[in-house]
Amino acid sequence: MGPPAGNTELRIHELDAQNRSRWDAFVQECPDATFFHRAGWADVMRRAFGHRTFFLYVEQGGTIVGVLPLARVRSRLFGDALTSMAFGVYGGIAARTPDAFAALDRHACRLADSLGVDYLEYRHREPHYPERPTKDLYVTFRKPLEADVEANMNAIPRKQRRMVRKGIKAGLASECDAGIERFFPIYAASVHRMGTPVFSRLYFRALLDVFGDDCRVLTATRDGNPVATVMTFYFRDEVLPYYGAGTPEARQVAGYDFLYWELMRHACEDGYRIYDFGRSKRDTGSFSFKKNWGFEPQPLHYEYHLVRAREMPDVNPLNPKYRYFIKAWQHLPRPVANWLGPRLSRSLG
C-alpha cells in the first residue's frame, strides 16, 4: 500500500524508540529490505561496539516509505566509515519509491560530508549508482529450498552429497544451543587459525538477546563432543547461516558439510524457502565450497560516496599489505589473541 493521496512531501527522521515497531514492519514488507535493515542492529552496534548509529527513515503522508540504517566505524588502522550496514553483508537503502530512495541518498551523502568521514558505503545487492566507485570483490549465494527434505538432498551435486552422507555415517548429530558456551570457543579458535581477530562474547550475546528466536546456534556433535557450529539469522522465509566454525576434527568427519545440511533440513521442515549461504570473496575456499553445493554466485554491489578518501577502501585479508599481520596474528598465543581480538575486530565493520 502506498502513501495516502494528497500529501507528497517527504520527511526524513532518525529512528527513536516510539517508531521501532513501524520501522521493523516496513522492513518486514519491503522487498529490498534484509535482515541487516532491522532496527535491532542499532542496539547491537551500541551495546557490543559503542559505535554511533544513524538509522534514517523517510515518511510520506505519515507512512514510512524508506529506511537506511547507518553505523559509523572509526579506526586509526582501517579508517573512518559510514556504512549500511556495518558488520552485515547486505544493507543500503530500502525504499518503496524512487523519490524516497533519492531523498535518503541525498541526506546520507550530506551527513557523510558533515561528519568528515573517509567514505559512505552502501552494501546493495543490486546496482544503483554505476557512476560511483563500486567494489567488485564479493558475491552472495542464495537458492530456493524445495518443500520436501529429500528433494533438497537430491538437489545437492553428487560429490557434495557424498560428503554430507560421510558426516552422517561418522555418527554426527545436530543440537540447538540456547547460548554461546560451545559456539564461542570453537569460533575463537577457528578465526585465530585463519589469522583474524575474534569478535567479543558480548557481540554474540547481544545478537541472541536482541534478535531472539530469529538468531539461533546449531552445533554438530560426535559422541557428545562439539565438532562444528554455526550462528544463523532468520528473516521472513529466509535462513542465513552467518558465523560458522569448526574444530580441526571437523574436516576429517565432514562436520561442516553435515552441519550445513542439517541447517537446510531443519529450515525446510520449518517452512523456510530461501537458503542464503552468504557472502564470499571471489576465488576463495568458501567461494568454492558454496559452489560445490550447487549454488550460483550472484555479484554484490558495494557502492561508495567518497568524502576524504581518494579511492575505495580495501580492508580485506586478500590485500597483500595485511599478509604480515595475518601471519603474526596466527602465531600469537591464543589467550593473547582472545584478549586483543575484540579491541581490533570492533573496527572491522
Side-chain angles (χ1 to χ4, degrees):
M1 181 181 295
N7 187 345
T8 60
E9 184 178 4
L10 295 170
R11 296 180 179 273
I12 294 180
H13 308 276
E14 191 165 339
L15 182 65
D16 57 21
Q18 288 72 34
N19 287 286
R20 288 174 63 97
S21 61
R22 295 179 62 221
W23 173 293
D24 277 336
F26 173 85
V27 168
Q28 189 70 18
E29 296 174 2
C30 180
D32 294 334
T34 70
F35 182 84
F36 303 98
H37 288 86
R38 291 185 54 171
W41 284 102
D43 298 331
V44 172
M45 292 298 103
R46 184 186 68 254
R47 289 165 54 175
F49 304 116
H51 294 323
R52 186 178 179 187
T53 59
F54 304 86
F55 274 44
L56 309 174
Y57 67 94
V58 57
E59 280 188 320
Q60 189 172 22
T63 298
I64 294 179
V65 292
V67 300
L68 174 57
L70 292 163
R72 185 180 187 180
V73 180
R74 308 173 72 175
S75 165
R76 291 182 180 179
L77 287 175
F78 306 114
D80 185 357
L82 191 62
T83 303
S84 176
M85 183 54 200
F87 301 91
V89 297
Y90 311 134
I93 300 169
R96 288 180 181 169
T97 68
D99 287 345
F101 196 105
L104 283 167
D105 176 57
R106 286 193 300 269
H107 190 96
C109 289
R110 288 196 298 266
L111 176 62
D113 293 343
S114 67
L115 292 173
V117 297
D118 294 330
Y119 56 88
L120 165 67
E121 179 183 29
Y122 293 143
R123 297 179 178 177
H124 286 136
R125 288 200 300 219
E126 302 293 335
H128 293 282
Y129 298 105
E131 74 281 3
R132 295 183 186 177
T134 303
K135 183 179 291 184
D136 184 28
L137 175 65
Y138 298 110
V139 298
T140 190
F141 294 84
R142 291 165 54 84
K143 185 179 179 180
L145 287 174
E146 301 291 342
D148 176 70
V149 170
E150 196 59 31
N152 286 300
M153 175 66 87
N154 292 333
I156 302 173
R158 183 177 300 174
K159 183 178 179 181
Q160 184 60 44
R161 196 160 63 239
R162 284 201 300 268
M163 294 300 293
V164 174
R165 297 198 186 281
K166 177 182 176 180
I168 295 172
K169 291 178 181 178
L172 299 182
S174 65
E175 302 173 5
C176 297
D177 290 3
I180 62 168
E181 289 74 21
R182 294 196 295 185
F183 168 88
F184 187 80
I186 296 173
Y187 180 81
S190 179
V191 296
H192 181 251
R193 290 194 298 271
M194 293 187 293
T196 304
V198 68
F199 291 117
S200 68
R201 284 182 172 85
L202 179 61
Y203 172 53
F204 294 111
R205 287 175 181 145
L207 289 171
L208 288 174
D209 182 44
V210 169
F211 295 117
D213 195 48
D214 292 335
C215 177
R216 309 173 203 169
V217 175
L218 186 70
T219 298
T221 63
R222 189 184 192 201
D223 298 327
N225 298 312
V227 171
T229 184
V230 62
M231 178 176 283
T232 301
F233 299 143
Y234 294 81
F235 178 69
R236 293 195 290 235
D237 63 346
E238 304 176 15
V239 54
L240 299 83
Y242 204 65
Y243 291 113
T247 66
E249 183 189 4
R251 295 191 184 280
Q252 302 171 18
V253 296
Y256 294 102
D257 312 89
F258 172 82
L259 180 65
Y260 288 116
W261 161 248
E262 282 292 279
L263 185 66
M264 185 180 291
R265 179 178 69 82
H266 287 304
C268 172
E269 292 174 345
D270 292 341
Y272 292 91
R273 290 296 169 256
I274 299 290
Y275 195 87
D276 188 329
F277 233 147
R279 183 183 79 179
S280 290
K281 303 176 188 71
R282 297 180 186 273
D283 303 320
T284 60
S286 66
F287 177 96
S288 299
F289 179 77
K290 294 168 186 179
K291 283 202 71 176
N292 290 342
W293 280 77
F295 286 65
E296 286 301 317
Q298 303 163 32
L300 291 174
H301 302 272
Y302 287 14
E303 298 171 322
Y304 296 85
H305 166 68
L306 302 182
V307 182
R308 295 194 309 165
R310 296 181 179 272
E311 58 186 16
M312 288 187 300
D314 190 17
V315 181
N316 81 84
L318 300 183
N319 187 333
K321 75 178 185 179
Y322 295 121
R323 287 177 183 169
Y324 174 79
F325 175 85
I326 291 170
K327 290 292 185 183
W329 194 268
Q330 289 172 325
H331 288 90
L332 278 180
R334 193 174 300 164
V336 176
N338 286 350
W339 175 82
L340 185 58
R343 290 159 174 78
L344 293 177
S345 62
R346 67 183 300 274
S347 302
L348 297 175

